[in-house]
Amino acid sequence: MAAKVKMPSDAPPKTTWWRDAIIYQIWPKSFYSANGGSTGDINGIISKLDYIKSLGANTVWLSPHYASPNIDEGYDISDYESINPDYGTVEDAERLIRECHQRGLRIIFDLVINHTSDQHKWFQESRSSKDNPKRDWYIWRPAKYDEQGNRQPPNNWSSCFSQSAWTWDEKTQEYYLHLFAIEQPDLNWSNDECRHTIYKSAMEFWLERGVNGFRVDTVNMYSKPMDFPDAPIQDKTKFIQNASSLFCNGPRMHEYLTEMGEILDRYDAMTVGELPCTPETADVLRYVSLSSSELSMVFQFDIVDLDRSPSDLFVDVGFNLNIFKDITNKWQTFIDGNDGWTTVFLENHDQGRSISRYADDSPKNRVASAKMLATYLATLSGTPFIYQGQELGMSNVPSSWQANEYKDLNTINYLAEKREGGAGEKELAKMLATGINKLARDNARTPVQWTSGPNAGFTKEGVQPWMRINDNFKQINAEDQLQKEDSVLAYYKRILALRKEHSDLFTHGRFLLCPTQEEGIFAFIKRDRRSESKLALVVLNFSDKVVNFTVPQEAQLVKLTLAIETHETSSTDELEPFGAKVFLSV
């Protein structure tokens, strides 16, 4: 179906609708198969839109679903204007957009434009010869040679997947840059023709079809220092070194994003950027200031990285509530006194499940933990993101799973590197049962647990899903929770409804971290920015003990009433293990 071309005169006025969005992320491969295949599909997503709307979400984020060899689960795109045939067709995607809009839902797609697949026609042309017109659409450099005449990459950069960021091409006798997998060559954004073709093919093609914006992958990596200096030596045992300080936030990033912003403004479209290696709030504000028209908001990774070792992202260093509070306070107060905006999230397709990392996924405390984390998510300022299955309290995979059950390239490469380094099977098994089991991206990518029946209702009986379903699907599934008023799913609906009812407090309010009380307690106040006397008190128990709390002095000057709680208790100043209460001023 031909898309209606939107002329400039038809463009809607620029708004900030995305500040009141509640966004539900779908990882299409693992969401739901309506066609009875081994993977999810677009028709399956359409069939679950009423479920998503009933949860309280008003925006859908669809992770990569484009044509791809799937080396990196769709983040290696071979055609921005085509759909992975496992998921459907362009016509199916257009119908998904229409079906969302008919229900009052907006929809955003993933925008992966730092790199393409090596199967993309642009790269196929680029690598065909040094004088091809698209040669400069990617980043090619000649080899260096050491004193013995051995060929070396152009610099010592490591890719994000623990290998050299450069791969030698025999045909044209040069290296090409890839910050991720070998099969994901980086585009050369300094080439004007390349950059504007990206805008047309990856952005405008879908904006014309009604997409309401994008989650932007690796949004601060497009501008590289084109002299490609060596990275500082941090690990003397290796040639390749972490170079993120060089390839993130490069010299032309804001120029490029301003160009993108001009396009997005014409469609009143939002963006949420993945912004790694940018810890300073002043630097972040440059990206998300409303007046700059670059990005609507960004993801900061402090919270989802707090239990990872900085030197080895598969080593679990444990959850620290005080650090968790400090990070929350940093990004909640970040928006005070300026025109920036922030995000709230605990899970996505790249993270282990939050209930297994920050609370307790044991049968005893699983339901309470999921509700408590939902309370945290729904009462903070900014735009909240809910990842598929999070609303059910889905957890990490069992620690007993073997290496062959893990499908993610990052996990596979990590284990291969450890084997090459001499790790034995017992040591690898320990890695699997501890750090990998807690932190691997695979934990979030198991199929959604819809029923307690065959294949958890993800696909029809007798079909082998692309990835093993979590063993606990009989205890954790949507069909069961839809029938229970005290389920995790039912609580999500109530807490999100409360957020919408009091958006001046929870979405737009001013955050105040309360002094530490009993061990395990996280308490904060939300104030209406227009009326200091209108407030909410949120009290969370991150411990496995019953604890008492004291109403903070800042909330004692108003009369409070209990608005929602995870457990029904007779005492207003007591919290059950992993419990939560929200009070509102009367």
Side-chain angles (χ1 to χ4, degrees), residues 116-188:
T116 68
S117 165
D118 61 358
Q119 300 305 306
H120 197 294
K121 61 184 179 182
W122 299 344
F123 187 71
Q124 293 293 301
E125 290 185 50
S126 182
R127 79 186 312 177
S128 64
S129 70
K130 288 183 179 180
D131 58 1
N132 185 276
K134 287 189 172 59
R135 181 66 171 185
D136 193 44
W137 282 35
Y138 293 82
I139 297 172
W140 296 91
R141 290 292 183 274
K144 289 184 176 180
Y145 293 88
D146 62 19
E147 294 178 355
Q148 288 73 42
N150 299 311
R151 188 182 72 225
Q152 299 288 338
N155 64 26
N156 66 350
W157 290 9
S158 168
S159 80
C160 297
F161 286 165
S162 303
Q163 56 198 1
S164 173
W166 298 92
T167 288
W168 178 253
D169 180 64
E170 282 290 342
K171 182 175 182 180
T172 58
Q173 294 290 293
E174 283 191 328
Y175 283 91
Y176 67 85
L177 179 73
H178 53 89
L179 295 184
F180 293 89
I182 292 171
E183 298 86 355
Q184 293 171 295
D186 278 43
L187 288 154
N188 181 11

Side-chain angles (χ1 to χ4, degrees), residues 504-519:
D504 287 345
L505 284 173
F506 298 126
T507 303
H508 301 276
R510 189 182 303 277
F511 177 91
L512 175 64
L513 179 63
C514 296
T516 302
Q517 302 187 29
E518 291 287 336
E519 185 177 354

Side-chain angles (χ1 to χ4, degrees), residues 389-519:
Q390 186 176 355
E391 78 281 7
L392 304 174
M394 283 182 60
S395 64
N396 279 358
V397 304
S399 59
S400 59
W401 279 24
Q402 300 300 304
N404 63 347
E405 301 290 357
Y406 291 82
K407 307 298 184 184
D408 177 44
L409 181 66
N410 207 19
T411 307
I412 292 169
N413 285 350
Y414 179 81
L415 289 171
E417 180 185 14
K418 293 300 180 183
R419 285 193 180 94
E420 290 172 4
E425 291 307 310
K426 286 186 178 180
E427 186 178 353
L428 291 171
K430 184 178 179 181
M431 292 176 190
L432 279 171
T434 54
I436 291 175
N437 174 255
K438 181 71 73 70
L439 303 169
R441 304 195 297 189
D442 304 81
N443 286 296
R445 299 180 180 185
T446 58
V448 173
Q449 295 157 208
W450 294 106
T451 75
S452 61
N455 284 328
F458 165 70
T459 189
K460 65 182 181 181
E461 186 175 4
V463 173
Q464 181 70 39
W466 78 276
M467 185 179 187
R468 180 175 169 181
I469 292 165
N470 197 319
D471 300 9
N472 60 15
F473 72 92
K474 290 186 181 296
Q475 293 76 44
I476 306 174
N477 62 79
E479 181 182 54
D480 175 63
Q481 294 192 28
L482 283 166
Q483 301 173 31
K484 295 180 178 178
E485 293 184 359
D486 63 345
S487 67
V488 175
L489 178 60
Y491 186 82
Y492 259 92
K493 293 179 180 181
R494 292 198 298 273
I495 194 71
L496 292 177
L498 185 71
R499 177 183 181 84
K500 291 179 180 178
E501 183 182 356
H502 300 280
S503 63
D504 287 345
L505 284 173
F506 298 126
T507 303
H508 301 276
R510 189 182 303 277
F511 177 91
L512 175 64
L513 179 63
C514 296
T516 302
Q517 302 187 29
E518 291 287 336
E519 185 177 354

